[in-house]
Amino acid sequence: QAEAFQGGLQSIDFSFSLHDHLSWLFWPYTYQYVGLQETLPGSSCSLVVALPPPILGIFHVKKLFLKYIFFFFLGGGVGFFMIFLLLKRLKRPLQHFSHVMKQVAEGNLQSRYIEDSWGGEFNILGKHFNEMLSQMLEHMAERQKVEMSQRLLSQELLLGRKIQKTLLPPGVMQFGDVAIASMFIPAKELSGDFYDVFQLNEDLLAICIGDGSDKGISACLYSLIVRAMLRHALRERPAEDYGEVLLRVNQLFCEDSQESGNFVTLGLGIFDKRNCHMTFFSMGHCPPIFITEKQTRQISVVQESAIGLERGEKVPAGVSLQLAPGDMFFLYTDGLSELDGSTGHFFNVEEMSKILKREKEKRPQEIVDALCQEALRIFPGALFSDDVTMLLLKVQESALRASSPVKDLD
């Protein structure tokens, strides 16, 4: 009943004390009561409901507590929902950035991060990622261009190597009682070394070996120019003084090369099969090795300047050699004599001479192959960092000549 009348209670001074009448109930306390008086219809009596103020406060506190609980849970639910929506919106840039990275990892290099108004730091990170990806694509495009250029250059160099090999004589050649064997090992696709063997007439054979300064394309071109000049000059005037021919070739080459600084060392031998006589000239080239039955020695030649170093007027002087059956004449480039291993020890003339002397009874090509194999055996870790060319002329015995599979230049 007190709760029913709670809305109508007023804080009126209902100052009367029931202490005297109800002292048995409230003793020993005395209260000021707050109550509600209503007249009963059809009666002269009134109904009075009176309660102490502390008891009324309990009902107010309970009602307020329930209100507070309701609004607390309502506000908490709305707050959690708003936080959920906020977090979902804030993680959208991260999800987008993660998706872009996944696309790139799968090979879609055109995928890009799109700036988000709520992105914050992710926008900065995405911007840097886009820039890095663009730069990477530019580098990849440049690398592809370079690789394509290198591939084309490599193909052209291989073609140049094939052309250079076709210009060189075959491995084994025969001229009368003389067999000539060769070996050509370029350090790169194109070599600055060259050798040539060709007839001047039915009795004379020219053998030459050259080494261009530097390596690669430029050395190859200049060496082939010297080879062409020498061939033309010797065939045009085969009976002239060969020193004059070399002087003329040097002068022409100096005019063509001008200030390039390129030069070519050259060794030239003219063999006359009528008397088995050899005349040899050197233009700054490695001294050849002459092997006879009695001795093995290095030929001392008046060394002239290499072709292209200077435009001189002095006619090169040659040295004359008389060859006999079984004798050998060995020409080589400095790529062989400068072959060395990790110890710094070079493949010198003494070692080459011992091998040539030991293998003297074999066929020319077998001797050249044995020399190369022995060099690699002595220097197992050595690499041909320079072009290597070998040319071996051997005066054969008649029996050996008859069984040799060679090409006749006659």
Side-chain angles (χ1 to χ4, degrees):
Q1 290 178 343
E3 291 182 9
F5 288 104
Q6 184 178 359
L9 293 176
Q10 300 178 7
S11 182
I12 59 177
D13 187 10
F14 197 69
S15 301
F16 69 96
S17 176
L18 297 180
H19 180 267
D20 296 333
H21 304 281
L22 301 174
S23 59
W24 56 273
L25 180 65
F26 294 103
W27 184 87
Y29 303 102
T30 301
Y31 296 96
Q32 292 292 325
Y33 292 88
V34 177
L36 176 67
Q37 181 179 358
E38 291 288 342
T39 303
L40 297 176
S43 172
S44 59
C45 298
S46 297
L47 177 65
V48 176
V49 179
L51 292 173
I55 296 178
L56 291 177
I58 292 174
F59 293 110
H60 283 287
V61 169
K62 181 178 180 181
K63 185 175 182 180
L64 289 175
F65 178 74
L66 293 176
K67 287 182 180 179
Y68 289 152
I69 291 295
F70 171 76
F71 284 111
F72 174 78
F73 282 104
L74 178 63
V78 173
F80 278 117
F81 181 71
M82 294 300 294
I83 291 174
F84 171 76
L85 293 179
L86 180 63
L87 292 177
K88 185 176 181 180
R89 180 64 183 87
L90 287 175
K91 74 175 184 179
R92 188 182 299 174
L94 176 60
Q95 290 176 332
H96 175 54
F97 184 69
S98 177
H99 175 72
V100 170
M101 293 184 68
K102 184 178 179 180
Q103 290 289 316
V104 172
E106 292 176 352
N108 182 14
L109 300 182
Q110 303 302 323
S111 182
R112 294 292 186 276
Y113 175 82
I114 300 175
E115 189 172 329
D116 192 292
S117 58
W118 287 55
E121 298 294 333
F122 287 107
N123 289 339
I124 300 175
L125 184 61
K127 180 181 178 181
H128 291 317
F129 179 79
N130 290 344
E131 292 175 354
M132 180 189 70
L133 197 58
S134 299
Q135 292 176 359
M136 184 183 73
L137 290 176
E138 292 177 2
H139 290 320
M140 289 176 62
E142 290 295 328
R143 183 177 179 180
Q144 289 177 351
K145 291 180 181 179
V146 172
E147 288 179 351
M148 181 62 70
S149 300
Q150 290 178 343
R151 194 177 300 114
L152 292 175
L153 178 60
S154 178
Q155 292 175 354
E156 292 177 358
L157 290 175
L158 289 175
L159 178 60
R161 183 173 185 173
K162 292 180 180 178
I163 295 173
Q164 185 181 26
K165 283 189 173 182
T166 60
L167 295 176
L168 299 175
V172 180
M173 295 147 282
Q174 185 77 37
F175 182 71
D177 292 331
V178 172
I180 304 103
S182 62
M183 179 170 287
F184 177 71
I185 306 174
K188 295 183 178 181
E189 287 83 357
L190 294 176
S191 171
D193 284 8
F194 75 94
Y195 69 93
D196 204 358
V197 180
F198 57 95
Q199 285 184 245
L200 302 180
N201 54 39
E202 62 180 11
D203 298 320
L204 297 178
L205 179 72
I207 61 171
C208 63
I209 188 169
D211 185 1
S213 59
D214 204 357
K215 291 180 285 292
I217 298 176
S218 62
C220 175
L221 291 176
Y222 283 113
S223 294
L224 291 179
I225 290 173
V226 171
R227 173 185 177 273
M229 288 180 175
L230 185 62
R231 266 188 170 242
H232 175 73
L234 289 174
R235 283 181 167 171
E236 187 179 29
R237 298 182 178 86
E240 287 192 0
D241 184 357
Y242 303 111
E244 291 283 353
V245 172
L246 289 174
L247 178 62
R248 180 59 180 160
V249 169
N250 179 54
Q251 292 173 344
L252 290 174
F253 183 79
C254 287
E255 292 176 3
D256 291 341
S257 61
Q258 296 179 356
E259 301 299 326
S260 66
N262 288 84
F263 61 89
V264 179
T265 65
L266 179 68
L268 171 65
I270 305 297
F271 178 76
D272 190 338
K273 72 175 184 179
R274 293 171 298 187
N275 52 16
C276 213
H277 183 269
M278 171 79 75
T279 304
F280 182 76
F281 300 84
S282 178
M283 302 292 288
H285 198 73
C286 303
I289 300 174
F290 185 39
I291 303 99
T292 66
E293 187 67 29
K294 297 181 179 181
Q295 62 177 347
T296 300
R297 61 189 178 92
Q298 200 171 14
I299 302 299
S300 298
V301 188
V302 177
Q303 291 284 350
E304 302 294 343
S305 297
I307 293 178
L309 272 182
E310 58 181 358
R311 183 187 174 91
E313 299 295 336
K314 182 182 178 182
V315 177
V319 61
S320 296
L321 300 171
Q322 185 62 52
L323 279 68
D327 291 351
M328 296 189 299
F329 190 75
F330 181 65
L331 296 167
Y332 58 94
T333 58
D334 58 7
L336 180 64
S337 60
E338 294 177 0
L339 181 67
D340 67 320
S342 58
T343 61
H345 170 66
F346 291 98
F347 190 46
N348 54 44
V349 175
E350 288 74 16
E351 289 172 319
M352 286 188 279
S353 300
K354 289 179 182 179
I355 298 169
L356 291 171
K357 184 72 172 178
R358 187 185 66 205
E359 306 292 334
K360 187 175 182 295
E361 300 303 322
K362 295 182 179 180
R363 293 187 177 92
Q365 192 61 52
E366 293 174 347
I367 297 173
V368 172
D369 293 342
L371 181 63
C372 183
Q373 293 173 5
E374 188 67 15
L376 294 178
R377 188 193 65 80
I378 296 174
F379 305 102
L383 296 175
F384 291 112
S385 57
D386 194 5
D387 306 320
V388 175
T389 304
M390 292 179 274
L391 196 60
L392 178 67
L393 181 145
K394 181 177 182 180
V395 181
Q396 294 179 299
E397 303 290 346
S398 57
L400 183 59
R401 178 190 173 194
S403 61
S404 297
V406 294
K407 178 181 177 181
D408 202 325
L409 295 178
D410 289 341

